[in-house]
mmCIF file of all heavy atoms in Angstrom:
data_model
loop_
_atom_site.group_PDB
_atom_site.id
_atom_site.type_symbol
_atom_site.label_atom_id
_atom_site.label_comp_id
_atom_site.label_asym_id
_atom_site.label_seq_id
_atom_site.Cartn_x
_atom_site.Cartn_y
_atom_site.Cartn_z
ATOM 1 N N ALA A 190 -17.683 34.892 30.249
ATOM 2 C CA ALA A 190 -17.628 34.916 31.730
ATOM 3 C C ALA A 190 -18.949 34.570 32.313
ATOM 4 O O ALA A 190 -20.045 34.895 31.841
ATOM 5 C CB ALA A 190 -17.281 36.294 32.167
ATOM 6 N N GLY A 191 -18.989 33.579 33.327
ATOM 7 C CA GLY A 191 -20.124 33.244 34.057
ATOM 8 C C GLY A 191 -20.181 33.747 35.549
ATOM 9 O O GLY A 191 -19.188 34.470 35.851
ATOM 10 N N ARG A 192 -21.207 33.349 36.197
ATOM 11 C CA ARG A 192 -21.361 33.895 37.580
ATOM 12 C C ARG A 192 -20.094 33.404 38.431
ATOM 13 O O ARG A 192 -19.782 34.132 39.396
ATOM 14 C CB ARG A 192 -22.576 33.179 38.223
ATOM 15 C CG ARG A 192 -22.866 33.754 39.607
ATOM 16 C CD ARG A 192 -24.289 33.695 39.910
ATOM 17 N NE ARG A 192 -25.046 32.576 39.459
ATOM 18 C CZ ARG A 192 -26.343 32.527 39.407
ATOM 19 N NH1 ARG A 192 -27.073 33.593 39.731
ATOM 20 N NH2 ARG A 192 -26.976 31.363 39.076
ATOM 21 N N GLY A 193 -19.497 32.407 37.908
ATOM 22 C CA GLY A 193 -18.257 31.889 38.681
ATOM 23 C C GLY A 193 -17.111 32.918 38.780
ATOM 24 O O GLY A 193 -16.218 32.685 39.569
ATOM 25 N N VAL A 194 -17.169 33.917 37.980
ATOM 26 C CA VAL A 194 -16.158 34.898 38.050
ATOM 27 C C VAL A 194 -16.301 35.868 39.363
ATOM 28 O O VAL A 194 -15.340 36.513 39.695
ATOM 29 C CB VAL A 194 -15.985 35.842 36.866
ATOM 30 C CG1 VAL A 194 -15.661 34.991 35.568
ATOM 31 C CG2 VAL A 194 -17.130 36.766 36.640
ATOM 32 N N GLY A 195 -17.402 35.789 39.900
ATOM 33 C CA GLY A 195 -17.579 36.356 41.224
ATOM 34 C C GLY A 195 -18.109 37.747 41.289
ATOM 35 O O GLY A 195 -19.068 37.986 41.988
ATOM 36 N N ALA A 216 -20.918 36.067 27.668
ATOM 37 C CA ALA A 216 -21.314 36.054 29.076
ATOM 38 C C ALA A 216 -22.512 35.174 29.170
ATOM 39 O O ALA A 216 -23.228 34.990 28.281
ATOM 40 C CB ALA A 216 -21.603 37.394 29.556
ATOM 41 N N SER A 217 -22.698 34.649 30.416
ATOM 42 C CA SER A 217 -23.955 33.924 30.679
ATOM 43 C C SER A 217 -24.890 34.986 31.213
ATOM 44 O O SER A 217 -24.578 36.155 31.381
ATOM 45 C CB SER A 217 -23.655 32.830 31.743
ATOM 46 O OG SER A 217 -23.374 33.431 32.960
ATOM 47 N N ARG A 218 -26.196 34.558 31.292
ATOM 48 C CA ARG A 218 -27.230 35.467 31.681
ATOM 49 C C ARG A 218 -27.080 36.146 32.981
ATOM 50 O O ARG A 218 -27.266 37.402 33.056
ATOM 51 C CB ARG A 218 -28.584 34.782 31.523
ATOM 52 C CG ARG A 218 -29.697 35.661 31.837
ATOM 53 C CD ARG A 218 -30.924 35.189 31.252
ATOM 54 N NE ARG A 218 -32.088 35.522 32.025
ATOM 55 C CZ ARG A 218 -33.342 35.146 31.725
ATOM 56 N NH1 ARG A 218 -33.649 34.449 30.683
ATOM 57 N NH2 ARG A 218 -34.392 35.467 32.533
ATOM 58 N N PRO A 219 -26.708 35.478 34.042
ATOM 59 C CA PRO A 219 -26.520 36.168 35.330
ATOM 60 C C PRO A 219 -25.643 37.313 35.349
ATOM 61 O O PRO A 219 -25.825 38.337 35.933
ATOM 62 C CB PRO A 219 -26.121 35.024 36.325
ATOM 63 C CG PRO A 219 -26.470 33.736 35.670
ATOM 64 C CD PRO A 219 -26.439 33.984 34.184
ATOM 65 N N VAL A 220 -24.585 37.186 34.474
ATOM 66 C CA VAL A 220 -23.579 38.181 34.406
ATOM 67 C C VAL A 220 -24.199 39.391 33.710
ATOM 68 O O VAL A 220 -23.869 40.557 34.132
ATOM 69 C CB VAL A 220 -22.336 37.650 33.635
ATOM 70 C CG1 VAL A 220 -21.366 38.781 33.304
ATOM 71 C CG2 VAL A 220 -21.689 36.493 34.475
ATOM 72 N N ASP A 222 -27.596 40.018 33.550
ATOM 73 C CA ASP A 222 -28.660 40.473 34.418
ATOM 74 C C ASP A 222 -28.078 41.389 35.630
ATOM 75 O O ASP A 222 -28.754 42.282 36.030
ATOM 76 C CB ASP A 222 -29.488 39.254 35.052
ATOM 77 C CG ASP A 222 -30.357 38.650 33.972
ATOM 78 O OD1 ASP A 222 -30.431 39.246 32.958
ATOM 79 O OD2 ASP A 222 -30.970 37.633 34.286
ATOM 80 N N HIS A 228 -25.978 43.388 27.284
ATOM 81 C CA HIS A 228 -26.705 42.210 26.708
ATOM 82 C C HIS A 228 -26.214 41.615 25.419
ATOM 83 O O HIS A 228 -26.334 40.466 25.097
ATOM 84 C CB HIS A 228 -28.278 42.516 26.651
ATOM 85 C CG HIS A 228 -29.008 41.338 26.204
ATOM 86 N ND1 HIS A 228 -29.510 41.253 24.859
ATOM 87 C CD2 HIS A 228 -29.475 40.236 26.815
ATOM 88 C CE1 HIS A 228 -30.123 40.086 24.720
ATOM 89 N NE2 HIS A 228 -30.182 39.452 25.920
ATOM 90 N N GLN A 231 -24.459 38.501 25.594
ATOM 91 C CA GLN A 231 -25.020 37.309 26.195
ATOM 92 C C GLN A 231 -25.182 36.127 25.240
ATOM 93 O O GLN A 231 -25.599 36.223 24.091
ATOM 94 C CB GLN A 231 -26.432 37.512 26.832
ATOM 95 C CG GLN A 231 -26.988 36.357 27.482
ATOM 96 C CD GLN A 231 -28.386 36.619 28.112
ATOM 97 O OE1 GLN A 231 -28.552 37.760 28.625
ATOM 98 N NE2 GLN A 231 -29.308 35.737 27.976
ATOM 99 N N VAL A 232 -24.755 34.994 25.692
ATOM 100 C CA VAL A 232 -24.861 33.747 24.828
ATOM 101 C C VAL A 232 -25.908 32.812 25.430
ATOM 102 O O VAL A 232 -25.970 32.663 26.666
ATOM 103 C CB VAL A 232 -23.494 33.003 24.817
ATOM 104 C CG1 VAL A 232 -23.618 31.563 24.110
ATOM 105 C CG2 VAL A 232 -22.449 33.816 24.236
ATOM 106 N N GLY A 233 -26.777 32.273 24.587
ATOM 107 C CA GLY A 233 -27.867 31.433 25.041
ATOM 108 C C GLY A 233 -29.206 31.682 24.445
ATOM 109 O O GLY A 233 -29.265 32.474 23.518
ATOM 110 N N THR A 234 -30.122 30.985 24.920
ATOM 111 C CA THR A 234 -31.538 31.050 24.308
ATOM 112 C C THR A 234 -32.082 32.391 24.217
ATOM 113 O O THR A 234 -32.803 32.812 23.244
ATOM 114 C CB THR A 234 -32.543 30.114 24.923
ATOM 115 O OG1 THR A 234 -32.455 30.317 26.371
ATOM 116 C CG2 THR A 234 -32.271 28.719 24.680
ATOM 117 N N THR A 235 -31.841 33.272 25.230
ATOM 118 C CA THR A 235 -32.325 34.596 25.251
ATOM 119 C C THR A 235 -31.155 35.612 24.831
ATOM 120 O O THR A 235 -31.314 36.766 25.001
ATOM 121 C CB THR A 235 -32.947 35.048 26.619
ATOM 122 O OG1 THR A 235 -32.042 34.561 27.637
ATOM 123 C CG2 THR A 235 -34.285 34.233 26.829
ATOM 124 N N GLY A 236 -30.075 35.082 24.498
ATOM 125 C CA GLY A 236 -28.972 35.932 23.913
ATOM 126 C C GLY A 236 -28.659 35.545 22.528
ATOM 127 O O GLY A 236 -29.598 35.291 21.744
ATOM 128 N N GLN A 237 -27.437 35.338 22.264
ATOM 129 C CA GLN A 237 -27.008 35.008 20.851
ATOM 130 C C GLN A 237 -26.754 33.571 20.770
ATOM 131 O O GLN A 237 -26.195 32.942 21.729
ATOM 132 C CB GLN A 237 -25.817 35.891 20.445
ATOM 133 C CG GLN A 237 -26.082 37.286 20.486
ATOM 134 C CD GLN A 237 -25.226 37.960 19.395
ATOM 135 O OE1 GLN A 237 -25.168 37.539 18.243
ATOM 136 N NE2 GLN A 237 -24.468 38.881 19.804
ATOM 137 N N TYR A 244 -14.600 28.094 21.789
ATOM 138 C CA TYR A 244 -15.467 28.789 22.832
ATOM 139 C C TYR A 244 -14.826 28.379 24.218
ATOM 140 O O TYR A 244 -14.678 27.256 24.516
ATOM 141 C CB TYR A 244 -16.921 28.292 22.821
ATOM 142 C CG TYR A 244 -17.851 29.026 23.660
ATOM 143 C CD1 TYR A 244 -18.435 30.147 23.249
ATOM 144 C CD2 TYR A 244 -18.102 28.587 24.964
ATOM 145 C CE1 TYR A 244 -19.355 30.881 24.032
ATOM 146 C CE2 TYR A 244 -18.999 29.321 25.824
ATOM 147 C CZ TYR A 244 -19.576 30.427 25.294
ATOM 148 O OH TYR A 244 -20.427 31.088 26.191
ATOM 149 N N ALA A 246 -15.534 28.651 28.134
ATOM 150 C CA ALA A 246 -16.553 29.132 29.159
ATOM 151 C C ALA A 246 -15.853 29.163 30.611
ATOM 152 O O ALA A 246 -15.261 28.132 31.054
ATOM 153 C CB ALA A 246 -17.591 28.061 29.162
ATOM 154 N N CYS A 247 -15.771 30.372 31.045
ATOM 155 C CA CYS A 247 -15.074 30.628 32.336
ATOM 156 C C CYS A 247 -16.172 30.721 33.496
ATOM 157 O O CYS A 247 -16.813 31.712 33.528
ATOM 158 C CB CYS A 247 -14.192 31.777 32.270
ATOM 159 S SG CYS A 247 -12.996 31.734 30.982
ATOM 160 N N GLY A 248 -16.115 29.795 34.429
ATOM 161 C CA GLY A 248 -16.997 29.879 35.618
ATOM 162 C C GLY A 248 -18.490 29.805 35.140
ATOM 163 O O GLY A 248 -19.313 30.612 35.587
ATOM 164 N N ILE A 249 -18.779 28.996 34.119
ATOM 165 C CA ILE A 249 -20.136 28.799 33.621
ATOM 166 C C ILE A 249 -20.490 27.355 33.920
ATOM 167 O O ILE A 249 -19.762 26.451 33.520
ATOM 168 C CB ILE A 249 -20.223 29.159 32.101
ATOM 169 C CG1 ILE A 249 -19.997 30.633 31.957
ATOM 170 C CG2 ILE A 249 -21.590 28.789 31.522
ATOM 171 C CD1 ILE A 249 -20.008 31.133 30.503
ATOM 172 N N SER A 250 -21.702 27.092 34.494
ATOM 173 C CA SER A 250 -22.088 25.804 34.877
ATOM 174 C C SER A 250 -22.543 24.868 33.735
ATOM 175 O O SER A 250 -22.283 23.763 33.737
ATOM 176 C CB SER A 250 -23.180 25.854 35.994
ATOM 177 O OG SER A 250 -24.345 26.433 35.391
ATOM 178 N N GLY A 251 -23.065 25.586 32.725
ATOM 179 C CA GLY A 251 -23.617 24.837 31.584
ATOM 180 C C GLY A 251 -25.093 24.483 31.683
ATOM 181 O O GLY A 251 -25.456 23.426 31.319
ATOM 182 N N ALA A 252 -25.846 25.443 32.073
ATOM 183 C CA ALA A 252 -27.278 25.231 32.056
ATOM 184 C C ALA A 252 -27.731 25.128 30.663
ATOM 185 O O ALA A 252 -27.187 25.594 29.661
ATOM 186 C CB ALA A 252 -27.985 26.499 32.719
ATOM 187 N N ILE A 253 -28.893 24.404 30.480
ATOM 188 C CA ILE A 253 -29.400 24.006 29.140
ATOM 189 C C ILE A 253 -29.519 25.278 28.237
ATOM 190 O O ILE A 253 -29.261 25.248 27.050
ATOM 191 C CB ILE A 253 -30.608 23.198 29.258
ATOM 192 C CG1 ILE A 253 -31.049 22.731 27.846
ATOM 193 C CG2 ILE A 253 -31.807 23.918 29.832
ATOM 194 C CD1 ILE A 253 -30.999 21.207 27.730
ATOM 195 N N GLN A 254 -30.056 26.421 28.869
ATOM 196 C CA GLN A 254 -30.216 27.592 28.107
ATOM 197 C C GLN A 254 -28.951 28.224 27.505
ATOM 198 O O GLN A 254 -28.882 28.904 26.622
ATOM 199 C CB GLN A 254 -31.029 28.636 28.904
ATOM 200 C CG GLN A 254 -32.426 28.273 29.254
ATOM 201 C CD GLN A 254 -32.469 27.497 30.581
ATOM 202 O OE1 GLN A 254 -31.466 27.217 31.170
ATOM 203 N NE2 GLN A 254 -33.692 27.292 31.038
ATOM 204 N N HIS A 255 -27.852 28.058 28.348
ATOM 205 C CA HIS A 255 -26.535 28.493 27.855
ATOM 206 C C HIS A 255 -26.017 27.562 26.811
ATOM 207 O O HIS A 255 -25.587 27.989 25.785
ATOM 208 C CB HIS A 255 -25.605 28.616 29.033
ATOM 209 C CG HIS A 255 -24.316 29.350 28.675
ATOM 210 N ND1 HIS A 255 -24.276 30.701 28.605
ATOM 211 C CD2 HIS A 255 -23.139 28.872 28.294
ATOM 212 C CE1 HIS A 255 -23.074 31.133 28.194
ATOM 213 N NE2 HIS A 255 -22.314 29.936 28.030
ATOM 214 N N LEU A 256 -26.110 26.301 27.029
ATOM 215 C CA LEU A 256 -25.607 25.270 26.181
ATOM 216 C C LEU A 256 -26.254 25.462 24.750
ATOM 217 O O LEU A 256 -25.570 25.262 23.751
ATOM 218 C CB LEU A 256 -25.825 23.822 26.630
ATOM 219 C CG LEU A 256 -25.074 23.443 27.884
ATOM 220 C CD1 LEU A 256 -25.455 21.990 28.259
ATOM 221 C CD2 LEU A 256 -23.531 23.506 27.605
ATOM 222 N N GLY A 258 -26.989 27.898 23.298
ATOM 223 C CA GLY A 258 -26.443 28.991 22.486
ATOM 224 C C GLY A 258 -24.972 28.789 22.063
ATOM 225 O O GLY A 258 -24.498 29.541 21.126
ATOM 226 N N ILE A 268 -13.580 26.135 31.864
ATOM 227 C CA ILE A 268 -12.722 26.342 33.062
ATOM 228 C C ILE A 268 -13.596 26.427 34.262
ATOM 229 O O ILE A 268 -14.367 27.399 34.310
ATOM 230 C CB ILE A 268 -11.727 27.589 32.889
ATOM 231 C CG1 ILE A 268 -10.912 27.501 31.599
ATOM 232 C CG2 ILE A 268 -10.857 27.742 34.111
ATOM 233 C CD1 ILE A 268 -10.078 28.733 31.342
ATOM 234 N N ASN A 269 -13.504 25.493 35.092
ATOM 235 C CA ASN A 269 -14.563 25.446 36.201
ATOM 236 C C ASN A 269 -13.933 24.820 37.456
ATOM 237 O O ASN A 269 -13.134 23.850 37.255
ATOM 238 C CB ASN A 269 -15.787 24.666 35.746
ATOM 239 C CG ASN A 269 -17.007 24.990 36.597
ATOM 240 O OD1 ASN A 269 -17.000 24.763 37.818
ATOM 241 N ND2 ASN A 269 -18.022 25.461 35.913
ATOM 242 N N LYS A 270 -14.379 25.216 38.616
ATOM 243 C CA LYS A 270 -13.701 24.596 39.801
ATOM 244 C C LYS A 270 -14.390 23.211 39.996
ATOM 245 O O LYS A 270 -13.767 22.416 40.673
ATOM 246 C CB LYS A 270 -14.170 25.473 41.003
ATOM 247 C CG LYS A 270 -13.249 26.699 41.203
ATOM 248 C CD LYS A 270 -13.216 27.070 42.728
ATOM 249 C CE LYS A 270 -14.442 27.877 43.142
ATOM 250 N NZ LYS A 270 -14.128 28.856 44.169
ATOM 251 N N ASP A 271 -15.500 22.985 39.464
ATOM 252 C CA ASP A 271 -16.246 21.766 39.671
ATOM 253 C C ASP A 271 -16.170 20.848 38.474
ATOM 254 O O ASP A 271 -16.669 21.186 37.474
ATOM 255 C CB ASP A 271 -17.685 22.100 39.984
ATOM 256 C CG ASP A 271 -18.544 20.868 40.166
ATOM 257 O OD1 ASP A 271 -18.035 19.758 40.094
ATOM 258 O OD2 ASP A 271 -19.791 21.104 40.145
ATOM 259 N N LYS A 272 -15.426 19.752 38.612
ATOM 260 C CA LYS A 272 -15.219 18.958 37.459
ATOM 261 C C LYS A 272 -16.495 18.181 36.955
ATOM 262 O O LYS A 272 -16.568 17.727 35.904
ATOM 263 C CB LYS A 272 -14.072 17.855 37.618
ATOM 264 C CG LYS A 272 -14.461 16.643 38.424
ATOM 265 C CD LYS A 272 -13.329 15.700 38.325
ATOM 266 C CE LYS A 272 -13.547 14.264 38.993
ATOM 267 N NZ LYS A 272 -14.904 13.860 39.367
ATOM 268 N N ASP A 273 -17.487 18.174 37.788
ATOM 269 C CA ASP A 273 -18.757 17.478 37.405
ATOM 270 C C ASP A 273 -19.810 18.586 36.895
ATOM 271 O O ASP A 273 -20.966 18.117 36.699
ATOM 272 C CB ASP A 273 -19.243 16.724 38.605
ATOM 273 C CG ASP A 273 -18.407 15.601 38.908
ATOM 274 O OD1 ASP A 273 -17.848 15.031 37.973
ATOM 275 O OD2 ASP A 273 -18.213 15.365 40.092
ATOM 276 N N ALA A 274 -19.407 19.837 36.809
ATOM 277 C CA ALA A 274 -20.415 20.807 36.319
ATOM 278 C C ALA A 274 -20.973 20.323 34.961
ATOM 279 O O ALA A 274 -20.144 19.714 34.175
ATOM 280 C CB ALA A 274 -19.732 22.124 36.174
ATOM 281 N N PRO A 275 -22.201 20.565 34.686
ATOM 282 C CA PRO A 275 -22.838 19.982 33.420
ATOM 283 C C PRO A 275 -22.102 20.492 32.153
ATOM 284 O O PRO A 275 -22.208 19.796 31.093
ATOM 285 C CB PRO A 275 -24.269 20.537 33.444
ATOM 286 C CG PRO A 275 -24.417 21.205 34.740
ATOM 287 C CD PRO A 275 -23.261 21.176 35.594
ATOM 288 N N ILE A 276 -21.351 21.523 32.207
ATOM 289 C CA ILE A 276 -20.639 22.013 31.016
ATOM 290 C C ILE A 276 -19.670 21.027 30.561
ATOM 291 O O ILE A 276 -19.384 20.960 29.392
ATOM 292 C CB ILE A 276 -19.997 23.349 31.293
ATOM 293 C CG1 ILE A 276 -19.431 23.974 29.982
ATOM 294 C CG2 ILE A 276 -18.854 23.267 32.316
ATOM 295 C CD1 ILE A 276 -20.178 25.102 29.473
ATOM 296 N N MET A 283 -12.044 19.996 29.674
ATOM 297 C CA MET A 283 -12.562 20.529 30.914
ATOM 298 C C MET A 283 -11.361 20.812 31.698
ATOM 299 O O MET A 283 -10.617 19.912 32.121
ATOM 300 C CB MET A 283 -13.470 19.471 31.588
ATOM 301 C CG MET A 283 -14.086 19.846 32.821
ATOM 302 S SD MET A 283 -15.498 20.831 32.603
ATOM 303 C CE MET A 283 -15.921 21.175 34.257
ATOM 304 N N VAL A 284 -11.172 22.054 32.062
ATOM 305 C CA VAL A 284 -10.050 22.356 32.856
ATOM 306 C C VAL A 284 -10.479 22.640 34.315
ATOM 307 O O VAL A 284 -11.289 23.624 34.510
ATOM 308 C CB VAL A 284 -9.275 23.756 32.329
ATOM 309 C CG1 VAL A 284 -8.037 23.976 33.116
ATOM 310 C CG2 VAL A 284 -8.928 23.578 30.852
ATOM 311 N N VAL A 285 -10.096 21.838 35.168
ATOM 312 C CA VAL A 285 -10.532 22.047 36.519
ATOM 313 C C VAL A 285 -9.577 22.985 37.198
ATOM 314 O O VAL A 285 -8.418 22.696 37.413
ATOM 315 C CB VAL A 285 -10.498 20.700 37.240
ATOM 316 C CG1 VAL A 285 -11.100 20.879 38.713
ATOM 317 C CG2 VAL A 285 -11.268 19.688 36.548
ATOM 318 N N ALA A 286 -10.056 24.251 37.462
ATOM 319 C CA ALA A 286 -9.273 25.267 37.958
ATOM 320 C C ALA A 286 -10.054 26.505 38.416
ATOM 321 O O ALA A 286 -11.230 26.603 38.050
ATOM 322 C CB ALA A 286 -8.284 25.798 36.903
ATOM 323 N N ASP A 287 -9.480 27.305 39.279
ATOM 324 C CA ASP A 287 -10.015 28.577 39.666
ATOM 325 C C ASP A 287 -9.698 29.477 38.557
ATOM 326 O O ASP A 287 -8.472 29.864 38.323
ATOM 327 C CB ASP A 287 -9.500 29.077 40.951
ATOM 328 C CG ASP A 287 -10.068 30.370 41.431
ATOM 329 O OD1 ASP A 287 -10.540 31.172 40.557
ATOM 330 O OD2 ASP A 287 -10.064 30.680 42.593
ATOM 331 N N VAL A 288 -10.660 29.971 37.836
ATOM 332 C CA VAL A 288 -10.455 30.751 36.608
ATOM 333 C C VAL A 288 -9.689 32.104 36.904
ATOM 334 O O VAL A 288 -8.953 32.535 36.162
ATOM 335 C CB VAL A 288 -11.742 31.028 35.812
ATOM 336 C CG1 VAL A 288 -12.638 31.980 36.578
ATOM 337 C CG2 VAL A 288 -11.405 31.544 34.438
ATOM 338 N N LEU A 289 -9.989 32.626 38.141
ATOM 339 C CA LEU A 289 -9.237 33.780 38.564
ATOM 340 C C LEU A 289 -7.743 33.641 38.664
ATOM 341 O O LEU A 289 -6.954 34.508 38.499
ATOM 342 C CB LEU A 289 -9.818 34.396 39.755
ATOM 343 C CG LEU A 289 -11.393 34.721 39.636
ATOM 344 C CD1 LEU A 289 -11.930 35.173 40.930
ATOM 345 C CD2 LEU A 289 -11.603 35.753 38.510
ATOM 346 N N GLN A 290 -7.379 32.412 38.985
ATOM 347 C CA GLN A 290 -5.973 32.062 39.239
ATOM 348 C C GLN A 290 -5.353 31.738 37.874
ATOM 349 O O GLN A 290 -4.244 32.022 37.604
ATOM 350 C CB GLN A 290 -6.000 30.789 40.147
ATOM 351 C CG GLN A 290 -4.873 30.817 41.091
ATOM 352 C CD GLN A 290 -4.893 29.527 41.913
ATOM 353 O OE1 GLN A 290 -5.883 28.836 41.887
ATOM 354 N NE2 GLN A 290 -3.889 29.187 42.581
HETATM 355 C C1 FAD C 1 -36.328 31.228 30.089
HETATM 356 C C2 FAD C 1 -34.828 31.192 30.402
HETATM 357 C C3 FAD C 1 -33.943 31.755 29.534
HETATM 358 C C4 FAD C 1 -32.582 31.799 29.883
HETATM 359 N N1 FAD C 1 -31.672 32.194 28.901
HETATM 360 C C5 FAD C 1 -30.385 32.117 29.179
HETATM 361 C C6 FAD C 1 -29.387 32.546 28.174
HETATM 362 O O1 FAD C 1 -29.734 33.012 27.111
HETATM 363 N N2 FAD C 1 -28.072 32.510 28.595
HETATM 364 C C7 FAD C 1 -27.612 31.973 29.811
HETATM 365 O O2 FAD C 1 -26.450 31.885 29.942
HETATM 366 N N3 FAD C 1 -28.536 31.572 30.709
HETATM 367 C C8 FAD C 1 -29.887 31.731 30.435
HETATM 368 N N4 FAD C 1 -30.728 31.349 31.437
HETATM 369 C C9 FAD C 1 -30.217 31.079 32.776
HETATM 370 C C10 FAD C 1 -29.724 29.617 32.983
HETATM 371 O O3 FAD C 1 -30.816 28.838 33.349
HETATM 372 C C11 FAD C 1 -28.592 29.611 34.105
HETATM 373 O O4 FAD C 1 -29.172 30.081 35.251
HETATM 374 C C12 FAD C 1 -27.320 30.423 33.761
HETATM 375 O O5 FAD C 1 -26.841 30.098 32.448
HETATM 376 C C13 FAD C 1 -26.349 30.118 34.798
HETATM 377 O O6 FAD C 1 -25.273 30.946 34.603
HETATM 378 P P1 FAD C 1 -23.804 30.622 35.086
HETATM 379 O O7 FAD C 1 -23.370 29.337 34.563
HETATM 380 O O8 FAD C 1 -22.944 31.746 34.771
HETATM 381 O O9 FAD C 1 -23.963 30.509 36.655
HETATM 382 P P2 FAD C 1 -24.047 29.284 37.614
HETATM 383 O O10 FAD C 1 -24.940 28.238 37.228
HETATM 384 O O11 FAD C 1 -24.172 29.903 39.047
HETATM 385 O O12 FAD C 1 -22.590 28.647 37.506
HETATM 386 C C14 FAD C 1 -21.411 29.151 38.023
HETATM 387 C C15 FAD C 1 -20.330 28.132 37.743
HETATM 388 O O13 FAD C 1 -19.025 28.719 38.051
HETATM 389 C C16 FAD C 1 -18.200 27.768 38.719
HETATM 390 N N5 FAD C 1 -17.316 28.628 39.662
HETATM 391 C C17 FAD C 1 -17.539 29.266 40.646
HETATM 392 N N6 FAD C 1 -16.451 29.906 41.122
HETATM 393 C C18 FAD C 1 -15.467 29.545 40.182
HETATM 394 C C19 FAD C 1 -14.123 30.002 40.057
HETATM 395 N N7 FAD C 1 -13.513 30.762 40.879
HETATM 396 N N8 FAD C 1 -13.360 29.518 38.973
HETATM 397 C C20 FAD C 1 -14.037 28.678 38.120
HETATM 398 N N9 FAD C 1 -15.278 28.276 38.207
HETATM 399 C C21 FAD C 1 -16.020 28.725 39.246
HETATM 400 C C22 FAD C 1 -19.206 26.943 39.547
HETATM 401 O O14 FAD C 1 -18.628 25.644 39.807
HETATM 402 C C23 FAD C 1 -20.384 26.898 38.630
HETATM 403 O O15 FAD C 1 -20.379 25.801 37.741
HETATM 404 C C24 FAD C 1 -32.116 31.324 31.139
HETATM 405 C C25 FAD C 1 -32.979 30.811 32.067
HETATM 406 C C26 FAD C 1 -34.371 30.831 31.775
HETATM 407 C C27 FAD C 1 -35.391 30.213 32.639
#
Side-chain angles (χ1 to χ4, degrees):
Chain A
R192 183 149 45 196
V194 303
S217 70
R218 179 158 149 181
V220 171
D222 285 353
H228 182 259
Q231 184 179 319
V232 173
T234 48
T235 46
Q237 298 211 53
Y244 189 89
C247 303
I249 293 177
S250 62
I253 186 113
Q254 294 90 352
H255 190 80
L256 292 180
I268 304 173
N269 200 300
K270 276 209 283 215
D271 174 10
K272 81 171 182 14
D273 295 320
I276 188 102
M283 180 79 181
V284 185
V285 185
D287 180 336
V288 69
L289 300 176
Q290 217 183 345

